[in-house]
């Protein structure tokens, strides 16, 4: 349980099965948020917390969707930025490896000990 005085700087949220969908790939045009997910993102931002999307989307490498489609979707939902691993093979950015978190921490000068991953 979080302590009320913990100074959270950012929240990283996964897409499939976390903010919506079934936990499996759904193209951005067909994706639907869970009830209250949009409100939760807005509430975090209202409280000065940066909100980032992190997602493994190997279907980009197969040509079934594009970075742009995912980035536009995340932008519409109010995410500050999205980090997307398009690789089907193992790589340094594919969750659960920390590549996307490390990239975000460098770009946004974040102390990852002050961040949460959902």
């Amino acid at each position: 349980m979080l302590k009320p005085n913990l100074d959270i700087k950012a929240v990283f949220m996964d897409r499939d099965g976390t903010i919506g969908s079934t936990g499996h790939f759904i193209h951005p045009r067909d994706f639907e948020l869970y009830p209250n997910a949009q409100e939760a993102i807005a509430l975090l931002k209202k409280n000065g917390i940066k909100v980032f999307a992190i997602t493994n989307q190997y279907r980009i490498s197969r040509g079934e969707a594009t970075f742009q489609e995912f980035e536009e979707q995340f932008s519409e939902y109010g995410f500050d930025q999205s980090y997307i691993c398009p690789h089907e093979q193992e790589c340094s950015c594919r969750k659960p490896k920390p590549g996307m978190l490390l990239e975000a921490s460098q770009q946004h000068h974040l102390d990852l000990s002050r961040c949460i991953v959902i």
Side-chain angles (χ1 to χ4, degrees):
M1 182 165 207
L2 292 177
K3 296 178 183 176
N5 64 352
L6 187 59
D7 189 20
I8 301 300
K9 299 297 182 187
V11 172
F12 294 88
M13 292 184 180
D14 190 21
R15 176 183 178 260
D16 299 318
T18 303
I19 63 168
S21 180
T22 62
H24 300 286
F25 174 79
I26 292 181
H27 194 281
R29 71 177 164 265
D30 301 319
F31 186 85
E32 293 183 25
L33 287 173
Y34 290 142
N36 301 319
Q38 186 71 70
E39 184 180 339
I41 293 166
L43 184 60
L44 289 165
K45 291 182 66 142
K46 180 181 176 185
N47 284 282
I49 298 171
K50 291 201 173 286
V51 183
F52 301 107
I54 55 170
T55 185
N56 293 336
Q57 295 296 337
Y58 70 86
R59 295 187 188 238
I60 291 172
S61 67
R62 291 184 179 180
E64 297 175 32
T66 66
F67 268 108
Q68 183 177 350
E69 289 168 318
F70 283 99
E71 288 173 338
E72 288 173 1
Q73 178 185 61
F74 290 129
S75 179
E76 289 173 13
Y77 295 155
F79 284 93
D80 291 295
Q81 189 167 346
S82 57
Y83 293 89
I84 304 164
C85 172
H87 308 111
E88 190 164 1
Q89 304 299 323
E90 287 300 313
C91 63
S92 63
C93 64
R94 187 170 181 76
K95 294 186 290 91
K97 292 183 181 171
M100 291 185 280
L101 298 176
L102 296 172
E103 181 180 352
S105 72
Q106 291 173 353
Q107 289 179 344
H108 296 276
H109 310 288
L110 296 171
D111 174 355
L112 290 176
S113 71
R114 299 283 186 195
C115 299
I116 295 173
V117 177
I118 301 173

